[in-house]
Amino acid sequence: QKEVEQNSGPLSVPEGAIASLNCTYSDRGSQSFFWYRQYSGKSPELIMFIYSNGDKEDGRFTAQLNKASQYVSLLIRDSQPSDSATYLCAVKVGGYGQNFVFGPGTRLSVLP
Amino acid sequence: NAGVTQTPKFRILKIGQSMTLQCTQDMNHNYMYWYRQDPGMGLKLIYYSVGAGITDKGEVPNGYNVSRSTTEDFPLRLELAAPSQTSVYFCASSYSGSGTVAGGPSDLETQYFGPGTRLLVL
């Protein structure tokens, strides 16, 4: 069973702080990693994807990947109340087709 | 582009009834997926399709069937609805391969989700 794990939270941070979201995965053959944001009652929307070890920055968001440790994280700088949502980590696992495994999500609350 | 559309938005079924959840995408994506999301949980893959005429089971396929006769449409069929199928169902699509794709190369493998169908089985 290929698994993706996340802390369910809630993770509470004050406005302006850095929020750090973590994700671990079990399939060493995984090559593609995605972070989706999901507001309550809405569908997931892509924030970032990362393929290579190291950091990838996009505005206030930074994704970090460490394949040796099977760990991927998302940092949100200058957190805003509008960032309050559930963040889903998704991993494209090896094998035929495009099979994605999602983690349970971490609920983030940014306090004004 | 409308993206991924799903109908209906909400439905109540009685135990044993059947229904079809509709999903259509207009982005010429070759891959399509059906997920279910239970409260406070992540997405579980039900079925996916890599192209018209080709479908495969995901993690939780029991009680569901799919078909893919066109690139655009990927309906999900529930036969003999059970309370355990109460959930929110999301359809998604993505592109894999060479050629033109909406959004450019960085769009490869990104899944675009529909608005979801909330299903209650009583």
Side-chain angles (χ1 to χ4, degrees):
Chain A
Q1 183 79 356
K2 296 169 181 175
E3 296 181 342
V4 176
E5 297 184 349
Q6 299 178 253
N7 289 330
S8 60
L11 172 66
S12 295
V13 300
E15 184 174 356
I18 295 175
S20 177
L21 306 165
N22 304 316
C23 172
T24 59
Y25 59 95
S26 63
D27 181 19
R28 283 198 171 274
S30 301
Q31 295 296 321
S32 308
F33 308 87
F34 303 80
W35 283 101
Y36 285 84
R37 177 176 61 199
Q38 186 176 27
Y39 292 113
S40 181
K42 301 296 185 181
S43 57
E45 55 181 339
L46 182 74
I47 299 175
M48 292 189 69
F49 59 88
I50 186 167
Y51 301 139
S52 303
N53 277 328
D55 296 358
K56 179 181 179 183
E57 187 174 319
D58 184 0
R60 295 187 296 113
F61 299 95
T62 299
Q64 299 175 317
L65 175 62
N66 183 327
K67 291 186 179 179
S69 300
Q70 295 174 245
Y71 175 90
V72 58
S73 66
L74 179 70
L75 299 178
I76 306 174
R77 291 182 300 280
D78 189 23
S79 296
Q80 301 297 309
S82 59
D83 294 325
S84 297
T86 295
Y87 290 80
L88 303 171
C89 173
V91 176
K92 182 188 169 187
V93 298
Y96 172 73
Q98 285 196 16
N99 203 342
F100 293 83
V101 178
F102 281 78
T106 297
R107 189 153 56 92
L108 173 66
S109 179
V110 180
L111 307 174
Chain B
N1 287 352
V4 180
T5 57
Q6 292 182 238
T7 57
K9 291 183 179 179
F10 176 67
R11 182 77 181 267
I12 299 175
L13 281 182
K14 294 183 179 179
I15 295 172
Q17 288 185 322
S18 61
M19 76 166 292
T20 299
L21 282 66
Q22 301 292 345
C23 175
T24 300
Q25 55 93 8
D26 63 358
M27 296 175 283
N28 200 32
H29 285 168
N30 48 354
Y31 286 77
M32 295 187 75
Y33 316 79
W34 274 106
Y35 293 93
R36 59 176 288 172
Q37 186 176 36
D38 298 329
M41 305 293 286
L43 298 163
K44 300 290 187 183
L45 183 64
I46 305 171
Y47 272 95
Y48 67 98
S49 169
V50 303
I54 306 171
T55 62
D56 207 349
K57 296 178 180 178
E59 183 181 358
V60 290
N62 291 344
Y64 307 94
N65 276 302
V66 294
S67 60
R68 182 99 180 268
S69 57
T70 67
T71 299
E72 295 79 18
D73 301 305
F74 190 41
L76 177 71
R77 179 78 176 168
L78 276 72
E79 304 283 2
L80 298 175
S84 62
Q85 293 179 305
T86 293
S87 191
V88 179
Y89 291 84
F90 289 105
C91 178
S93 71
S94 68
Y95 185 81
S96 180
S98 60
T100 301
V101 60
S106 64
D107 208 48
L108 291 176
E109 301 188 320
T110 297
Q111 293 185 73
Y112 291 85
F113 286 84
T117 293
R118 190 172 300 271
L119 178 65
L120 180 61
V121 182
L122 300 174

